[in-house]
Amino acid sequence: MELRRRDYRVERPLLNQEQLEELGSQTSATGTLQWRTWFQCSHARARALLLQYFPVLAWLPQYPVRDWLLGDLLSGLSVAIMQLPQGLAYALLAGLPPVFGLYSSFYPVFIYFLFGTSRHISVGTFAVMSVMVGSVTESLAPDEAFLQALNSTVNVTARDAARVQAASTLSVLVGLFQVGLGLVHFGFVVTYLSEPLVRAYTTAASVQVFVSQLKYVFGLHLSSRSGPLSLIYTVLEVCWKLPQTVVGTMVTAVVAGVVLLLVKLLNDKLRRQLPMPLPGELLTLIGATGISYGVGLQHRFGVDVVGKIPARLLPPVAPSPQLFARLVGNAFAIAVVGFAIAISLGKIFALRHGYRVDSNQVAGAISSLFILIIIVKLGELFQDLPKAVLAAAIIVNLKGMLMQFTDICSLWKANRVDLLIWLVTFVATILLNLDLGLAVAVVFSLLLVVVRTQLPHYSVLGQVPDTDIYRDVAEYSEAREVPGVKVFRSSATVYFANAELYSDTLKQKCGVNVDHLISQKKKLLRKQELKLKRLQKENKLPKQAAASKGTSISINVNTSVIDIESNDVEGSKAKQVSTGTELEGIAASGQEDAKAPDMSSLKTLGLPQPDFHSLILDLSSLSFVDTVCLKSLKNIFRDFREIEVEVYMAACHSPVVTQLEAGHFFDASITKQHLFASVHDAVIFALQHPRSSPVNPVLVTKL
C-alpha cells in the first residue's frame, strides 16, 4: 500500500530547555503532605477505612440474589467437592494428619469471604505452599526423633502433635508477615516475578511434589530431609529402597491414577454436553474407601490408610513462642511466595473480567459451609481411605504444571534470555529447595536486567528524508547523516554500570580516535611551551616582551568559548605559546595580538580534524541519572570540545532535567541552552551555529 504524500508546514521557534520552560511555564510540583491525612478524623474517612478492611460490607448489601445466588450455590458445591480430596491429599504434602487439610479448606475460605477482594480466587490448600510447610515440619520433627526404643517404630501420635504445633506456629508467623506486607503495599514484588520465572518455579515445585509422593505410591519409609540437594537425596533413596516396595500399595496407586486420568479425559471430551465436570477425585475417593473397607487393604495387603479422623472441630491452640526464632526465615519465604502468587492470580482474573482487586462472592462462604459439614459429620467415613489414592490424585493433578516443560521449546524460539531465566529458576529450585530457589531466581533475574542494560544498542542517527524523524542509519537505508553533525543514541539509560561503555562506544561510533587526538594535541602544545621557555631563557626576546606579559597571546587548550576552569578539568590551564618569529612580532607590537592565529587549533598544529563540528546526544532513553552519569556527560563535553566539536543534548524528560539540576550539572560551561526539546531542534541549531556556543536562538524554522 502506497503512502499518500502530503505537504505539511509547521513553523515554530527552535526551543532549548530554558525557552521550553519559559514557554510552558514550568513549575516545580508541590509535594502534598500525605501524612496529614492519616490523622484526620471524619465520618467519610472512618467509613472508607471500614470498607477498605472489611470489603464484605461494601458488596454484600448490593448482592444481586436473583442473578447470582444459584450460580454461587453450584460453584460453592463444586469447590467443596474439589477441596475435599485435595485437602486430604495436600495434608500429606505438609506432613500433617489428613484432617488438617480439611481445616485448611474451611477456615481460610470463610475468612477470605469476609476480607477478600477477588471474586474468583478460592483460598485453600495449595501444592507449593504445602510442600514448603512440609519441608519445615519434617525438618523440625523428623521420624528419627520419635523412634520407640522397644520395637524401633515411630510414635506417630507424638510426631504428628509436634508437626501440628510447628505448622500452626508457622501459620501465625506467615499471617503476621503477610499482614505487614499488605500494610506496606508489598504487591510491587510481583513486578519482579516475570512469567518465565513463575512458570519455571511452579514446574520445579511440581517436581518437588511428585518426588514427595513416591513414598506413598511405593509404600516406602524414607528419611526426612530438607535444605539444599534434599530432592536429589530423596530420589536416590527411593531408587535404593525400590526392592522394599509394597505391591498392594503400588497397585492401588496405579489403579487410582488410571481411573482419575480416564475421568479427566472424559470431562475434556464431554465438557460441552455436561453442565459441570464429573467430580473424578471425589468419586475415586469414595470408591477407594469402600473397596479398602470391604476388602481390608490395610490388614491383608499392608496398604497404609488415612486413619482416624475426628468428627469435630478441634479447639484452637496458641502457637509456641519458642519456635518463633527457628521459623522466622521460613515464614518470611512462605509469606512472600504465597502473597506473590495470590496477587498474581487475582490480577489475572481481574484483568480478564474487568474489576479491581482491592469481593469474593457468597460462593466462598457456601463452599466453607459444605466443608464444615464434611468435617463434623462425614469426615470419619474416610478413615479407611488409602494414602496411595491421595498420592495418585496429587500426581494426576500435577499434569498441568508438568506440561510447562514445553516452555523450553517455545522460549528457545521466542526469547532465549527468558529461556535462561526459566532454566536457572528451575535448576535452582530443584537443587536448593523452594525458598532458596526463589531467592536465587529473583536475584538472577534482576542481575540479568542489569547485564542487559550494560549491553544496550548504540546507534548513530540519520534524518529520514523530508521529515524531522531520526533513525539508526544502520537499520534504515534511506536515513542520512546530517553533514557536519553526529547524532548518537543509546537504547538504555546511562548509569554507573554502563557509563564507561557509553562514552567508549560514542567515541568509536564517531569515527575519531578522540583520546589519541587529545594526547597528540597536548604533546604539541607542551613542545611549544617548552620552546617558549627556552627562547626566553636564551634572552632572544626583547625586554619589552618580558615586561608586557599581559599582551601576549593567551591560548586555551579548550577552544570553546567556555572558560576551561569552569569545566573542572584537572590540569587544564591557559598556555602562552608562540614561535620564534611570531614572538618577536608580538614583542614589537602588542596590537597584533588580535590578528595572531589560534596556535592551539588542530589545523594550526597539523592534526587531523573531525569531519563534523557538532555532536548531539539523544537522551530520550534516560529515565534517571546518577553521579557517574553526570561525570561521564561532563567528560564528553570536555573531550569533544578539546577536538573542536561542540556538544548538545536533546529530548530529555523533565524528571531527568530536574535530576541534572540537582546534581549541579549545569554551570557556566554547560547551560540549559545546550539542551534542546528535540533532536531536530538541536540539529538545526548546530547547522546554523557551527563551532559556536548557543546564544539565545530565536529562529523560525520550517519543520
Side-chain angles (χ1 to χ4, degrees):
M1 179 179 177
E2 294 185 359
L3 294 174
R4 286 189 176 180
R5 240 187 121 91
R6 299 178 180 176
D7 294 330
Y8 293 94
R9 185 171 181 269
V10 180
E11 292 187 356
R12 66 169 177 82
L14 294 182
L15 296 176
N16 57 35
Q17 186 64 27
E18 284 186 352
Q19 295 168 335
L20 182 61
E21 292 176 0
E22 182 180 354
L23 182 64
S25 300
Q26 183 185 21
T27 57
S28 58
T30 56
T32 57
L33 299 178
Q34 187 177 3
W35 60 270
R36 290 183 177 178
T37 62
W38 298 345
F39 302 100
Q40 292 178 355
C41 295
S42 65
H43 175 75
R45 178 165 174 76
R47 184 175 182 276
L49 288 175
L50 182 65
L51 296 181
Q52 179 181 354
Y53 293 105
F54 295 91
V56 65
L57 300 178
W59 62 263
L60 189 59
Q62 304 174 4
Y63 182 80
V65 178
R66 293 184 179 181
D67 297 333
W68 288 3
L69 182 59
L70 180 60
D72 283 340
L73 284 172
L74 294 176
S75 61
L77 177 61
S78 63
V79 169
I81 291 173
M82 177 190 69
Q83 286 283 17
L84 171 61
Q86 282 192 1
L88 295 173
Y90 288 167
L92 299 181
L93 293 178
L96 302 174
V99 67
F100 287 91
L102 296 180
Y103 295 157
S104 299
S105 301
F106 167 68
Y107 288 109
V109 177
F110 188 75
I111 295 299
Y112 196 81
F113 161 75
L114 299 175
F115 298 99
T117 58
S118 173
R119 303 174 188 172
H120 295 83
I121 287 182
S122 178
V123 179
T125 54
F126 184 56
V128 176
M129 297 292 100
S130 300
V131 171
M132 297 183 74
V133 172
S135 65
V136 176
T137 56
E138 291 181 1
S139 64
L140 290 180
D143 292 340
E144 293 79 5
F146 298 92
L147 292 176
Q148 296 176 341
L150 297 177
N151 51 8
S152 298
T153 58
V154 177
N155 187 343
V156 177
T157 303
R159 181 202 65 185
D160 288 347
R163 290 183 176 180
V164 168
Q165 186 181 42
S168 62
T169 305
L170 181 67
S171 299
V172 171
L173 285 177
V174 171
L176 293 175
F177 275 123
Q178 290 195 338
V179 169
L181 295 177
L183 292 176
V184 299
H185 302 284
F186 198 68
F188 73 90
V189 73
V190 180
T191 61
Y192 299 107
L193 303 179
S194 63
E195 183 180 1
L197 187 150
V198 173
R199 292 177 68 87
Y201 184 76
T202 54
T203 304
S206 67
V207 175
Q208 296 262 12
V209 172
F210 177 82
V211 172
S212 69
Q213 296 306 295
L214 293 179
K215 62 181 180 181
Y216 299 111
V217 172
F218 296 107
L220 303 175
H221 295 281
L222 305 179
S223 303
S224 300
R225 290 186 174 87
S226 62
L229 300 180
S230 60
L231 182 70
I232 306 301
Y233 292 133
T234 301
V235 172
L236 293 176
E237 187 177 3
V238 169
C239 296
W240 181 259
K241 291 186 175 181
L242 274 180
Q244 305 175 17
T245 299
V246 178
V247 177
T249 300
M250 185 180 69
V251 172
T252 301
V254 171
V255 172
V258 171
V259 171
L260 289 170
L261 284 175
L262 291 177
V263 174
K264 284 185 176 295
L265 292 175
L266 187 62
N267 280 331
D268 292 339
K269 189 173 183 179
L270 301 178
R271 58 184 176 181
R272 295 184 179 179
Q273 288 78 20
L274 295 174
M276 61 180 297
L278 296 174
E281 289 87 355
L282 180 61
L283 295 177
T284 303
L285 261 61
I286 293 174
T289 303
I291 294 173
S292 175
Y293 177 77
V295 177
L297 292 180
Q298 183 181 18
H299 304 290
R300 295 180 58 185
F301 301 100
V303 177
D304 196 11
V305 298
V306 168
K308 185 179 179 180
I309 298 178
R312 68 185 190 279
L313 288 175
L314 296 179
V317 179
S320 175
Q322 292 80 8
L323 295 175
F324 281 177
R326 302 174 63 183
L327 295 175
V328 63
N330 294 296
F332 182 77
I334 294 174
V336 171
V337 173
F339 191 87
I341 291 176
I343 292 294
S344 299
L345 292 177
K347 287 187 175 181
I348 289 173
F349 285 115
L351 292 173
R352 184 177 300 174
H353 297 281
Y355 64 89
R356 180 178 177 82
V357 177
D358 247 357
S359 282
N360 191 35
Q361 305 308 327
V362 181
I366 293 173
S367 65
S368 64
L369 292 177
F370 280 123
I371 295 295
L372 179 62
I373 294 173
I374 294 171
I375 293 173
V376 175
K377 295 295 182 183
L378 305 178
E380 57 184 352
L381 299 179
F382 292 95
Q383 293 182 3
D384 292 308
L385 174 64
K387 290 184 178 179
V389 176
L390 295 177
I394 291 174
I395 292 174
V396 170
N397 285 328
L398 294 176
K399 176 187 173 184
M401 287 194 287
L402 292 175
M403 288 297 293
Q404 293 177 157
F405 276 110
T406 58
D407 290 352
I408 297 176
C409 297
S410 59
L411 290 175
W412 175 265
K413 299 175 182 178
N415 191 317
R416 295 184 184 179
V417 175
D418 284 346
L419 174 61
L420 183 60
I421 295 176
W422 198 102
L423 294 175
V424 170
T425 302
F426 179 81
V427 173
T429 306
I430 291 293
L431 297 180
L432 303 178
N433 225 333
L434 293 170
D435 46 1
L436 292 178
L438 180 62
V440 170
V442 172
V443 170
F444 177 79
S445 181
L446 295 178
L447 287 178
L448 198 58
V449 172
V450 174
V451 171
R452 295 175 78 176
T453 59
Q454 287 183 284
L455 301 173
H457 176 68
Y458 296 109
S459 55
V460 174
L461 306 185
Q463 184 182 20
V464 178
D466 301 326
T467 70
D468 60 350
I469 299 173
Y470 292 80
R471 291 292 182 265
D472 188 355
V473 294
E475 297 179 359
Y476 290 78
S477 58
E478 293 299 320
R480 296 287 183 267
E481 290 189 50
V482 179
V485 179
K486 285 283 184 183
V487 184
F488 182 76
R489 179 170 63 190
S490 169
S491 62
T493 192
V494 182
Y495 68 115
F496 68 92
N498 63 4
E500 184 177 358
L501 180 62
Y502 178 87
S503 301
D504 294 342
T505 308
L506 168 61
K507 295 174 182 177
Q508 179 186 356
K509 290 278 188 180
C510 288
V512 179
N513 194 336
V514 179
D515 296 331
H516 177 72
L517 195 57
I518 294 174
S519 177
Q520 291 296 109
K521 178 179 178 180
K522 288 183 177 180
K523 285 181 181 179
L524 293 175
L525 290 174
R526 194 175 299 113
K527 287 181 180 180
Q528 289 186 1
E529 185 178 8
L530 292 174
K531 185 177 180 180
L532 172 62
K533 290 181 179 180
R534 188 176 66 252
L535 291 175
Q536 289 178 341
K537 188 175 181 180
E538 294 175 357
N539 292 324
K540 290 188 177 181
L541 286 176
K543 292 183 179 180
Q544 294 86 348
S548 57
K549 261 187 176 181
T551 61
S552 62
I553 299 178
S554 178
I555 298 187
N556 198 320
V557 173
N558 189 339
T559 59
S560 172
V561 295
I562 310 299
D563 188 359
I564 196 66
E565 292 180 359
S566 64
N567 208 17
D568 293 331
V569 181
E570 186 177 354
S572 296
K573 61 180 181 177
K575 314 264 183 207
Q576 295 180 346
V577 296
S578 180
T579 61
T581 56
E582 289 167 343
L583 287 172
E584 295 176 0
I586 293 171
S589 176
Q591 295 181 353
E592 295 181 7
D593 289 353
K595 300 180 181 179
D598 186 359
M599 300 306 298
S600 67
S601 66
L602 297 176
K603 183 177 181 181
T604 306
L605 294 173
L607 295 175
Q609 295 177 275
D611 59 354
F612 58 97
H613 54 74
S614 299
L615 171 65
I616 298 173
L617 303 178
D618 182 356
L619 303 182
S620 57
S621 62
L622 259 65
S623 56
F624 67 93
V625 292
D626 58 8
T627 55
V628 178
C629 175
L630 293 175
K631 291 181 180 178
S632 297
L633 291 176
K634 279 183 172 289
N635 290 339
I636 289 172
F637 271 83
R638 177 200 65 191
D639 291 344
F640 278 90
R641 284 172 172 173
E642 288 278 2
I643 62 171
E644 302 168 12
V645 174
E646 186 55 59
V647 183
Y648 304 98
M649 301 179 297
C652 266
H653 302 295
S654 295
V656 175
V657 177
T658 303
Q659 294 175 33
L660 291 174
E661 292 176 329
H664 305 290
F665 177 76
F666 298 110
D667 52 24
S669 62
I670 306 174
T671 68
K672 288 186 178 180
Q673 295 179 8
H674 291 89
L675 176 58
F676 288 87
S678 69
V679 172
H680 196 52
D681 285 7
V683 168
I684 294 176
F685 183 85
L687 291 175
Q688 296 179 351
H689 299 77
R691 300 182 188 174
S692 64
S693 59
V695 182
N696 296 328
V698 182
L699 303 171
V700 177
T701 309
K702 297 180 180 179
L703 299 178

